[in-house]
Structures are given as structure tokens and as C-alpha cells.
Amino acid sequence: MTPDLPTPDLLYSEVEEELRASVRSLLDHHCRPNAVLARCEGDQPYDLALWATLAGQLGLAGLAVPEEHGGAGAGPREVAVVLEELGRRVAPVPYLGSAVLATTALIACGAAEALPELASGTRRAALAVPFTTAPGAAFPTAVTAEAGTLTGRVTSVADGSVADLLVVPAIGTDGPGLYAVEVGGAGVEVVRRTSLDLTRPVADVILAGAAARRLAEAETAVAALDRALLTGAGLLASEQLGVAEWCLTTTVAYLKERRQFARPLGSFQALKHRLADLWLETVGARAAARYAADALASGSPDAAVAVALAQSHCGALAVRAAEECIQLHGGIGMTWEHPAHLYLKRAKADQLALGTPGFHRAALAELVALGA
């Protein structure tokens, strides 16, 4: 880190803690584990009533949208707090796809027309790239643009199945561009796919001469897409932190109550060591996730390093915490009735999203000039 970089603020402000309390309280009432499990068994995995409540009562859909476009004018630090809480509940709402990825792309390219409706939560958007696309990846070429129409297929779009608006990167005769496509229009088909993560389904987007409106072209489009992916990857670390913290807290509570040989399971030294190691890793993940959120919020030139660091650490941690949660719960952790498996599936899916930990470790090594 060079001396010119701003000093990162890893602590939560009073406003951020109040925001956390509000989100947690609302989720306590409207997003109970049994309800999430029951929803995943049906054909409507998303809880759009919860989404409307989050957007209407707390204004979360427009948290990062500038005030002049109907939002709250907050930034990545506040959005990160929301994602921590949504991750803690594996909430089945399209927050990452609509309020983070698509909204960031629209703001970055100066396309403000759709922002008021997205901020109010009355419409939802999705960034039409495969969910595994990492920051810094080459501009997608799966969709081509010609005479105001788009043709092509994009697979595994996060939150695409409940989007009203698609933000689509496409290649035209004059180079890269970002386009807006209305779902439901002629030549637009969105097909939900079977996802590992039942609480965040992915969908394929099939465009066959679909009418599109160009939002940005050339370097502006490339920069807006990369900003959206970088922001998404950096803030996804906070969601992964929330998943890990729920798994750790729930496991500790269980081991305090569950008894064997007339002793609480949590009194056995071997289990204490496992949980202590997990707690230490979680504390480190919190610092990395907060650093990424703060770097994105402050526009720090170290943002790419912070995001790569956070994703290197938080993706693997969430999976390990979920695996420990299931194993230390014994047989009950393996059953469909216990929500631990939802957390493992969310953690495994997040581990692949927006770049794997291995990809981000390689990116981090290059960014800090570690070499091979």
C-alpha cells in the first residue's frame, strides 16, 4: 500500500449500526428459516412480498441510488451492511442482482431513466452476464447488437427470472455497448434453471432480435460493466460474512445445549478449538469485507486490491463455516428440516460467483506484483 492511499475505516458508524438493527428486526419478522425452507419447496422461490417490504419500509432497493433519482444517496458501506444481514438469513430476494449489479451499471454509465423505479422497488433489474463473471474479465461477446436489436444467449444470470429490465452487454458493428431490454417484449425469453442455491435461482436469457435501447458505448460501456462487477464482488464478501456468522453463532448455541456423556458438547476441547479457529477466520473476513466496502465507497485506488483480498478470504470462509455447521450439528444438520443446508448451498454458489477465490488470489498476486 502506498502512503498516498486513504486510511481505511473498518468500523461501523452509528448510522450503519442503526441500519443493521432495522434490517435485522424486519427480517426477524418476515424471513424466518422455516418460511424460507417452505418457499424453496414451491415454484416461487423468491419472496417478492419481502422484497416490497424491504424497498417500501426501509428504502433498501434505492440505498445506493443518488437522491436526485429517488434513492437514499448512500454508498457501498451501507449496502454492505444490508448484504451482511440478508446473507445471515439467506433471504430469497433479488437484492444483489437488482440493487447492486444492475443499479451500479446504470449509475456508472449515467443511464438514470430507470433508476427511480428501481429505487422504489416497483421494478427489478438484472445484469445479463453469467453469475461467474469476474471483475476484469473480457467484455462479453455472447450477444450481438444490430439496428437497435439484440440477439444471443446469456446463461446463469443471477436474479434474472424476476427482473423486469435487463442490462445487457453486447457487441455491435461499432464495438462494445450496454443496452436496456424490457422483459416481456418480443424476442425476449427468460428461462429459470435449476440452481444449487435454491434461494437465489439463476436464469438463461435468450434474445432473438429483441428491441434494445443503448445506454452506453465503447469505453464507457466497458468501464460501467467492470465497475458493476467489481462492486458486486466486493460487496458479495459481506454477504459471505453474514452466512459465515450465522453458521458460527448457530453452531455455538447448539453445542451449548446438546449434551453427551452428561456434558454439553461445547465443553469438549477438540470442538472448542475448531470453533475458536473459525471465529478467528471470521474476524479476519470481517476486516477484509469492510476494507473492500470502504475502498469502494471512498473511490480508493486500492479498491481492486481490497476486493480481490476480500473475495480470496470470504468465499472460502463461508463454505468452511457452513460445512462445520452441518458436521457439528450431527444428524439433524443433514436433514431437510434444518436450514443449514441452505447456507451451504448459498456459500458454495457464492464461492463461484463473480470470480472464484482462486481467481481472486491470482488477481491479487498480480495487483501487488508478487509474481508467479
PDB file of all heavy atoms in Angstrom, residues 247-276:
ATOM      1  N   CYS A 247     -23.725 -19.278  10.623  1.00  0.00           N
ATOM      2  CA  CYS A 247     -23.314 -20.669  10.839  1.00  0.00           C
ATOM      3  C   CYS A 247     -22.539 -20.818  12.147  1.00  0.00           C
ATOM      4  O   CYS A 247     -22.764 -21.759  12.919  1.00  0.00           O
ATOM      5  CB  CYS A 247     -22.455 -21.151   9.655  1.00  0.00           C
ATOM      6  SG  CYS A 247     -23.369 -21.309   8.107  1.00  0.00           S
ATOM      7  N   LEU A 248     -21.641 -19.882  12.415  1.00  0.00           N
ATOM      8  CA  LEU A 248     -20.857 -19.949  13.637  1.00  0.00           C
ATOM      9  C   LEU A 248     -21.739 -19.756  14.873  1.00  0.00           C
ATOM     10  O   LEU A 248     -21.673 -20.539  15.838  1.00  0.00           O
ATOM     11  CB  LEU A 248     -19.752 -18.883  13.601  1.00  0.00           C
ATOM     12  CG  LEU A 248     -18.896 -18.748  14.858  1.00  0.00           C
ATOM     13  CD1 LEU A 248     -18.182 -20.053  15.184  1.00  0.00           C
ATOM     14  CD2 LEU A 248     -17.875 -17.612  14.697  1.00  0.00           C
ATOM     15  N   THR A 249     -22.572 -18.728  14.853  1.00  0.00           N
ATOM     16  CA  THR A 249     -23.433 -18.432  16.004  1.00  0.00           C
ATOM     17  C   THR A 249     -24.395 -19.576  16.283  1.00  0.00           C
ATOM     18  O   THR A 249     -24.597 -19.981  17.448  1.00  0.00           O
ATOM     19  CB  THR A 249     -24.233 -17.144  15.739  1.00  0.00           C
ATOM     20  OG1 THR A 249     -23.316 -16.077  15.465  1.00  0.00           O
ATOM     21  CG2 THR A 249     -25.097 -16.778  16.928  1.00  0.00           C
ATOM     22  N   THR A 250     -24.997 -20.107  15.236  1.00  0.00           N
ATOM     23  CA  THR A 250     -25.964 -21.196  15.402  1.00  0.00           C
ATOM     24  C   THR A 250     -25.282 -22.452  15.937  1.00  0.00           C
ATOM     25  O   THR A 250     -25.834 -23.165  16.794  1.00  0.00           O
ATOM     26  CB  THR A 250     -26.633 -21.496  14.048  1.00  0.00           C
ATOM     27  OG1 THR A 250     -27.268 -20.308  13.569  1.00  0.00           O
ATOM     28  CG2 THR A 250     -27.673 -22.603  14.179  1.00  0.00           C
ATOM     29  N   THR A 251     -24.070 -22.723  15.467  1.00  0.00           N
ATOM     30  CA  THR A 251     -23.354 -23.913  15.922  1.00  0.00           C
ATOM     31  C   THR A 251     -22.949 -23.785  17.388  1.00  0.00           C
ATOM     32  O   THR A 251     -23.075 -24.737  18.167  1.00  0.00           O
ATOM     33  CB  THR A 251     -22.105 -24.135  15.048  1.00  0.00           C
ATOM     34  OG1 THR A 251     -22.497 -24.200  13.679  1.00  0.00           O
ATOM     35  CG2 THR A 251     -21.402 -25.431  15.414  1.00  0.00           C
ATOM     36  N   VAL A 252     -22.471 -22.617  17.772  1.00  0.00           N
ATOM     37  CA  VAL A 252     -22.097 -22.400  19.177  1.00  0.00           C
ATOM     38  C   VAL A 252     -23.308 -22.590  20.087  1.00  0.00           C
ATOM     39  O   VAL A 252     -23.226 -23.260  21.138  1.00  0.00           O
ATOM     40  CB  VAL A 252     -21.483 -20.991  19.354  1.00  0.00           C
ATOM     41  CG1 VAL A 252     -21.334 -20.660  20.842  1.00  0.00           C
ATOM     42  CG2 VAL A 252     -20.136 -20.894  18.656  1.00  0.00           C
ATOM     43  N   ALA A 253     -24.439 -22.021  19.690  1.00  0.00           N
ATOM     44  CA  ALA A 253     -25.650 -22.155  20.510  1.00  0.00           C
ATOM     45  C   ALA A 253     -26.064 -23.613  20.633  1.00  0.00           C
ATOM     46  O   ALA A 253     -26.459 -24.079  21.713  1.00  0.00           O
ATOM     47  CB  ALA A 253     -26.775 -21.326  19.887  1.00  0.00           C
ATOM     48  N   TYR A 254     -25.959 -24.355  19.540  1.00  0.00           N
ATOM     49  CA  TYR A 254     -26.348 -25.777  19.565  1.00  0.00           C
ATOM     50  C   TYR A 254     -25.426 -26.577  20.478  1.00  0.00           C
ATOM     51  O   TYR A 254     -25.875 -27.410  21.278  1.00  0.00           O
ATOM     52  CB  TYR A 254     -26.303 -26.331  18.138  1.00  0.00           C
ATOM     53  CG  TYR A 254     -26.591 -27.808  18.048  1.00  0.00           C
ATOM     54  CD1 TYR A 254     -27.894 -28.283  18.161  1.00  0.00           C
ATOM     55  CD2 TYR A 254     -25.563 -28.729  17.860  1.00  0.00           C
ATOM     56  CE1 TYR A 254     -28.170 -29.643  18.089  1.00  0.00           C
ATOM     57  CE2 TYR A 254     -25.819 -30.083  17.780  1.00  0.00           C
ATOM     58  CZ  TYR A 254     -27.126 -30.538  17.900  1.00  0.00           C
ATOM     59  OH  TYR A 254     -27.384 -31.882  17.826  1.00  0.00           O
ATOM     60  N   LEU A 255     -24.129 -26.321  20.385  1.00  0.00           N
ATOM     61  CA  LEU A 255     -23.173 -27.098  21.187  1.00  0.00           C
ATOM     62  C   LEU A 255     -23.244 -26.749  22.673  1.00  0.00           C
ATOM     63  O   LEU A 255     -22.793 -27.528  23.517  1.00  0.00           O
ATOM     64  CB  LEU A 255     -21.750 -26.879  20.661  1.00  0.00           C
ATOM     65  CG  LEU A 255     -21.472 -27.430  19.257  1.00  0.00           C
ATOM     66  CD1 LEU A 255     -20.025 -27.200  18.871  1.00  0.00           C
ATOM     67  CD2 LEU A 255     -21.814 -28.906  19.164  1.00  0.00           C
ATOM     68  N   LYS A 256     -23.794 -25.605  22.991  1.00  0.00           N
ATOM     69  CA  LYS A 256     -24.012 -25.271  24.408  1.00  0.00           C
ATOM     70  C   LYS A 256     -25.171 -26.074  24.988  1.00  0.00           C
ATOM     71  O   LYS A 256     -25.204 -26.363  26.184  1.00  0.00           O
ATOM     72  CB  LYS A 256     -24.313 -23.776  24.546  1.00  0.00           C
ATOM     73  CG  LYS A 256     -23.093 -22.882  24.434  1.00  0.00           C
ATOM     74  CD  LYS A 256     -23.514 -21.422  24.632  1.00  0.00           C
ATOM     75  CE  LYS A 256     -22.322 -20.490  24.607  1.00  0.00           C
ATOM     76  NZ  LYS A 256     -22.742 -19.071  24.737  1.00  0.00           N
ATOM     77  N   GLU A 257     -26.142 -26.412  24.146  1.00  0.00           N
ATOM     78  CA  GLU A 257     -27.345 -27.100  24.631  1.00  0.00           C
ATOM     79  C   GLU A 257     -27.252 -28.610  24.502  1.00  0.00           C
ATOM     80  O   GLU A 257     -27.724 -29.337  25.377  1.00  0.00           O
ATOM     81  CB  GLU A 257     -28.563 -26.596  23.859  1.00  0.00           C
ATOM     82  CG  GLU A 257     -28.877 -25.133  24.104  1.00  0.00           C
ATOM     83  CD  GLU A 257     -30.093 -24.683  23.323  1.00  0.00           C
ATOM     84  OE1 GLU A 257     -30.670 -25.506  22.576  1.00  0.00           O
ATOM     85  OE2 GLU A 257     -30.455 -23.496  23.448  1.00  0.00           O
ATOM     86  N   ARG A 258     -26.690 -29.090  23.426  1.00  0.00           N
ATOM     87  CA  ARG A 258     -26.631 -30.526  23.162  1.00  0.00           C
ATOM     88  C   ARG A 258     -25.647 -31.196  24.123  1.00  0.00           C
ATOM     89  O   ARG A 258     -24.508 -30.750  24.273  1.00  0.00           O
ATOM     90  CB  ARG A 258     -26.181 -30.752  21.715  1.00  0.00           C
ATOM     91  CG  ARG A 258     -26.092 -32.209  21.310  1.00  0.00           C
ATOM     92  CD  ARG A 258     -27.456 -32.822  21.161  1.00  0.00           C
ATOM     93  NE  ARG A 258     -27.359 -34.168  20.608  1.00  0.00           N
ATOM     94  CZ  ARG A 258     -28.369 -35.030  20.548  1.00  0.00           C
ATOM     95  NH1 ARG A 258     -29.561 -34.649  20.997  1.00  0.00           N
ATOM     96  NH2 ARG A 258     -28.215 -36.225  20.030  1.00  0.00           N
ATOM     97  N   ARG A 259     -26.088 -32.274  24.783  1.00  0.00           N
ATOM     98  CA  ARG A 259     -25.256 -32.928  25.799  1.00  0.00           C
ATOM     99  C   ARG A 259     -24.902 -34.356  25.376  1.00  0.00           C
ATOM    100  O   ARG A 259     -25.672 -35.035  24.694  1.00  0.00           O
ATOM    101  CB  ARG A 259     -25.982 -32.958  27.144  1.00  0.00           C
ATOM    102  CG  ARG A 259     -26.353 -31.579  27.665  1.00  0.00           C
ATOM    103  CD  ARG A 259     -27.124 -31.659  28.968  1.00  0.00           C
ATOM    104  NE  ARG A 259     -26.282 -32.058  30.081  1.00  0.00           N
ATOM    105  CZ  ARG A 259     -25.538 -31.235  30.797  1.00  0.00           C
ATOM    106  NH1 ARG A 259     -25.524 -29.939  30.515  1.00  0.00           N
ATOM    107  NH2 ARG A 259     -24.811 -31.678  31.800  1.00  0.00           N
ATOM    108  N   GLN A 260     -23.724 -34.755  25.804  1.00  0.00           N
ATOM    109  CA  GLN A 260     -23.274 -36.136  25.598  1.00  0.00           C
ATOM    110  C   GLN A 260     -22.391 -36.516  26.787  1.00  0.00           C
ATOM    111  O   GLN A 260     -21.573 -35.705  27.243  1.00  0.00           O
ATOM    112  CB  GLN A 260     -22.486 -36.247  24.288  1.00  0.00           C
ATOM    113  CG  GLN A 260     -22.249 -37.686  23.856  1.00  0.00           C
ATOM    114  CD  GLN A 260     -21.654 -37.754  22.463  1.00  0.00           C
ATOM    115  OE1 GLN A 260     -20.623 -37.128  22.210  1.00  0.00           O
ATOM    116  NE2 GLN A 260     -22.277 -38.484  21.566  1.00  0.00           N
ATOM    117  N   PHE A 261     -22.556 -37.714  27.292  1.00  0.00           N
ATOM    118  CA  PHE A 261     -21.832 -38.162  28.488  1.00  0.00           C
ATOM    119  C   PHE A 261     -22.039 -37.170  29.635  1.00  0.00           C
ATOM    120  O   PHE A 261     -21.107 -36.827  30.362  1.00  0.00           O
ATOM    121  CB  PHE A 261     -20.331 -38.338  28.202  1.00  0.00           C
ATOM    122  CG  PHE A 261     -20.042 -39.214  27.020  1.00  0.00           C
ATOM    123  CD1 PHE A 261     -19.351 -38.710  25.923  1.00  0.00           C
ATOM    124  CD2 PHE A 261     -20.492 -40.521  26.980  1.00  0.00           C
ATOM    125  CE1 PHE A 261     -19.104 -39.498  24.820  1.00  0.00           C
ATOM    126  CE2 PHE A 261     -20.244 -41.319  25.870  1.00  0.00           C
ATOM    127  CZ  PHE A 261     -19.553 -40.816  24.790  1.00  0.00           C
ATOM    128  N   ALA A 262     -23.263 -36.666  29.751  1.00  0.00           N
ATOM    129  CA  ALA A 262     -23.652 -35.747  30.836  1.00  0.00           C
ATOM    130  C   ALA A 262     -22.918 -34.409  30.784  1.00  0.00           C
ATOM    131  O   ALA A 262     -22.804 -33.723  31.797  1.00  0.00           O
ATOM    132  CB  ALA A 262     -23.442 -36.401  32.200  1.00  0.00           C
ATOM    133  N   ARG A 263     -22.405 -34.067  29.632  1.00  0.00           N
ATOM    134  CA  ARG A 263     -21.708 -32.771  29.488  1.00  0.00           C
ATOM    135  C   ARG A 263     -22.202 -32.081  28.216  1.00  0.00           C
ATOM    136  O   ARG A 263     -22.528 -32.756  27.223  1.00  0.00           O
ATOM    137  CB  ARG A 263     -20.188 -32.981  29.360  1.00  0.00           C
ATOM    138  CG  ARG A 263     -19.500 -33.526  30.582  1.00  0.00           C
ATOM    139  CD  ARG A 263     -18.049 -33.863  30.253  1.00  0.00           C
ATOM    140  NE  ARG A 263     -17.332 -32.734  29.662  1.00  0.00           N
ATOM    141  CZ  ARG A 263     -16.096 -32.821  29.162  1.00  0.00           C
ATOM    142  NH1 ARG A 263     -15.461 -33.991  29.175  1.00  0.00           N
ATOM    143  NH2 ARG A 263     -15.503 -31.762  28.660  1.00  0.00           N
ATOM    144  N   PRO A 264     -22.222 -30.755  28.200  1.00  0.00           N
ATOM    145  CA  PRO A 264     -22.525 -30.076  26.936  1.00  0.00           C
ATOM    146  C   PRO A 264     -21.446 -30.411  25.902  1.00  0.00           C
ATOM    147  O   PRO A 264     -20.253 -30.471  26.230  1.00  0.00           O
ATOM    148  CB  PRO A 264     -22.470 -28.587  27.313  1.00  0.00           C
ATOM    149  CG  PRO A 264     -22.632 -28.547  28.791  1.00  0.00           C
ATOM    150  CD  PRO A 264     -22.032 -29.812  29.317  1.00  0.00           C
ATOM    151  N   LEU A 265     -21.868 -30.618  24.658  1.00  0.00           N
ATOM    152  CA  LEU A 265     -20.890 -30.931  23.611  1.00  0.00           C
ATOM    153  C   LEU A 265     -19.833 -29.834  23.482  1.00  0.00           C
ATOM    154  O   LEU A 265     -18.671 -30.087  23.196  1.00  0.00           O
ATOM    155  CB  LEU A 265     -21.608 -31.104  22.269  1.00  0.00           C
ATOM    156  CG  LEU A 265     -22.201 -32.485  21.974  1.00  0.00           C
ATOM    157  CD1 LEU A 265     -22.957 -32.448  20.663  1.00  0.00           C
ATOM    158  CD2 LEU A 265     -21.110 -33.535  21.935  1.00  0.00           C
ATOM    159  N   GLY A 266     -20.271 -28.616  23.730  1.00  0.00           N
ATOM    160  CA  GLY A 266     -19.348 -27.497  23.574  1.00  0.00           C
ATOM    161  C   GLY A 266     -18.233 -27.476  24.600  1.00  0.00           C
ATOM    162  O   GLY A 266     -17.288 -26.687  24.484  1.00  0.00           O
ATOM    163  N   SER A 267     -18.317 -28.324  25.636  1.00  0.00           N
ATOM    164  CA  SER A 267     -17.260 -28.345  26.657  1.00  0.00           C
ATOM    165  C   SER A 267     -16.072 -29.205  26.228  1.00  0.00           C
ATOM    166  O   SER A 267     -15.030 -29.171  26.890  1.00  0.00           O
ATOM    167  CB  SER A 267     -17.824 -28.867  27.983  1.00  0.00           C
ATOM    168  OG  SER A 267     -18.198 -30.234  27.862  1.00  0.00           O
ATOM    169  N   PHE A 268     -16.214 -29.967  25.154  1.00  0.00           N
ATOM    170  CA  PHE A 268     -15.100 -30.805  24.702  1.00  0.00           C
ATOM    171  C   PHE A 268     -14.035 -29.940  24.018  1.00  0.00           C
ATOM    172  O   PHE A 268     -14.340 -29.121  23.140  1.00  0.00           O
ATOM    173  CB  PHE A 268     -15.605 -31.891  23.756  1.00  0.00           C
ATOM    174  CG  PHE A 268     -16.410 -32.948  24.452  1.00  0.00           C
ATOM    175  CD1 PHE A 268     -17.800 -32.871  24.503  1.00  0.00           C
ATOM    176  CD2 PHE A 268     -15.791 -34.014  25.093  1.00  0.00           C
ATOM    177  CE1 PHE A 268     -18.542 -33.826  25.156  1.00  0.00           C
ATOM    178  CE2 PHE A 268     -16.535 -34.986  25.754  1.00  0.00           C
ATOM    179  CZ  PHE A 268     -17.910 -34.884  25.794  1.00  0.00           C
ATOM    180  N   GLN A 269     -12.790 -30.160  24.431  1.00  0.00           N
ATOM    181  CA  GLN A 269     -11.703 -29.292  23.985  1.00  0.00           C
ATOM    182  C   GLN A 269     -11.536 -29.283  22.460  1.00  0.00           C
ATOM    183  O   GLN A 269     -11.285 -28.237  21.856  1.00  0.00           O
ATOM    184  CB  GLN A 269     -10.388 -29.762  24.645  1.00  0.00           C
ATOM    185  CG  GLN A 269      -9.259 -28.769  24.555  1.00  0.00           C
ATOM    186  CD  GLN A 269      -9.474 -27.580  25.499  1.00  0.00           C
ATOM    187  OE1 GLN A 269     -10.461 -27.507  26.204  1.00  0.00           O
ATOM    188  NE2 GLN A 269      -8.538 -26.652  25.487  1.00  0.00           N
ATOM    189  N   ALA A 270     -11.686 -30.442  21.846  1.00  0.00           N
ATOM    190  CA  ALA A 270     -11.481 -30.511  20.399  1.00  0.00           C
ATOM    191  C   ALA A 270     -12.478 -29.621  19.651  1.00  0.00           C
ATOM    192  O   ALA A 270     -12.124 -28.963  18.670  1.00  0.00           O
ATOM    193  CB  ALA A 270     -11.610 -31.957  19.922  1.00  0.00           C
ATOM    194  N   LEU A 271     -13.734 -29.603  20.151  1.00  0.00           N
ATOM    195  CA  LEU A 271     -14.750 -28.780  19.493  1.00  0.00           C
ATOM    196  C   LEU A 271     -14.496 -27.292  19.764  1.00  0.00           C
ATOM    197  O   LEU A 271     -14.729 -26.444  18.904  1.00  0.00           O
ATOM    198  CB  LEU A 271     -16.143 -29.183  19.965  1.00  0.00           C
ATOM    199  CG  LEU A 271     -16.546 -30.630  19.659  1.00  0.00           C
ATOM    200  CD1 LEU A 271     -17.999 -30.871  20.032  1.00  0.00           C
ATOM    201  CD2 LEU A 271     -16.312 -30.975  18.192  1.00  0.00           C
ATOM    202  N   LYS A 272     -14.021 -26.997  20.983  1.00  0.00           N
ATOM    203  CA  LYS A 272     -13.685 -25.591  21.295  1.00  0.00           C
ATOM    204  C   LYS A 272     -12.631 -25.071  20.327  1.00  0.00           C
ATOM    205  O   LYS A 272     -12.708 -23.941  19.840  1.00  0.00           O
ATOM    206  CB  LYS A 272     -13.146 -25.487  22.726  1.00  0.00           C
ATOM    207  CG  LYS A 272     -14.189 -25.627  23.814  1.00  0.00           C
ATOM    208  CD  LYS A 272     -13.502 -25.452  25.170  1.00  0.00           C
ATOM    209  CE  LYS A 272     -14.478 -25.600  26.322  1.00  0.00           C
ATOM    210  NZ  LYS A 272     -13.809 -25.470  27.625  1.00  0.00           N
ATOM    211  N   HIS A 273     -11.627 -25.898  20.060  1.00  0.00           N
ATOM    212  CA  HIS A 273     -10.548 -25.461  19.169  1.00  0.00           C
ATOM    213  C   HIS A 273     -11.077 -25.207  17.760  1.00  0.00           C
ATOM    214  O   HIS A 273     -10.698 -24.229  17.113  1.00  0.00           O
ATOM    215  CB  HIS A 273      -9.441 -26.517  19.136  1.00  0.00           C
ATOM    216  CG  HIS A 273      -8.599 -26.513  20.371  1.00  0.00           C
ATOM    217  ND1 HIS A 273      -7.626 -27.453  20.603  1.00  0.00           N
ATOM    218  CD2 HIS A 273      -8.579 -25.694  21.449  1.00  0.00           C
ATOM    219  CE1 HIS A 273      -7.038 -27.203  21.771  1.00  0.00           C
ATOM    220  NE2 HIS A 273      -7.605 -26.149  22.298  1.00  0.00           N
ATOM    221  N   ARG A 274     -11.955 -26.086  17.292  1.00  0.00           N
ATOM    222  CA  ARG A 274     -12.494 -25.905  15.940  1.00  0.00           C
ATOM    223  C   ARG A 274     -13.276 -24.595  15.832  1.00  0.00           C
ATOM    224  O   ARG A 274     -13.153 -23.850  14.858  1.00  0.00           O
ATOM    225  CB  ARG A 274     -13.384 -27.090  15.570  1.00  0.00           C
ATOM    226  CG  ARG A 274     -12.578 -28.344  15.247  1.00  0.00           C
ATOM    227  CD  ARG A 274     -13.443 -29.554  15.079  1.00  0.00           C
ATOM    228  NE  ARG A 274     -14.319 -29.501  13.914  1.00  0.00           N
ATOM    229  CZ  ARG A 274     -15.023 -30.539  13.484  1.00  0.00           C
ATOM    230  NH1 ARG A 274     -14.914 -31.705  14.107  1.00  0.00           N
ATOM    231  NH2 ARG A 274     -15.812 -30.424  12.429  1.00  0.00           N
ATOM    232  N   LEU A 275     -14.083 -24.324  16.853  1.00  0.00           N
ATOM    233  CA  LEU A 275     -14.883 -23.107  16.812  1.00  0.00           C
ATOM    234  C   LEU A 275     -14.022 -21.854  17.015  1.00  0.00           C
ATOM    235  O   LEU A 275     -14.300 -20.804  16.430  1.00  0.00           O
ATOM    236  CB  LEU A 275     -15.987 -23.178  17.863  1.00  0.00           C
ATOM    237  CG  LEU A 275     -17.058 -24.235  17.569  1.00  0.00           C
ATOM    238  CD1 LEU A 275     -18.025 -24.363  18.732  1.00  0.00           C
ATOM    239  CD2 LEU A 275     -17.821 -23.898  16.296  1.00  0.00           C
ATOM    240  N   ALA A 276     -12.987 -21.984  17.840  1.00  0.00           N
ATOM    241  CA  ALA A 276     -12.096 -20.834  18.038  1.00  0.00           C
ATOM    242  C   ALA A 276     -11.363 -20.490  16.738  1.00  0.00           C
ATOM    243  O   ALA A 276     -11.215 -19.313  16.375  1.00  0.00           O
ATOM    244  CB  ALA A 276     -11.088 -21.138  19.145  1.00  0.00           C
TER     245      ALA A 276
END
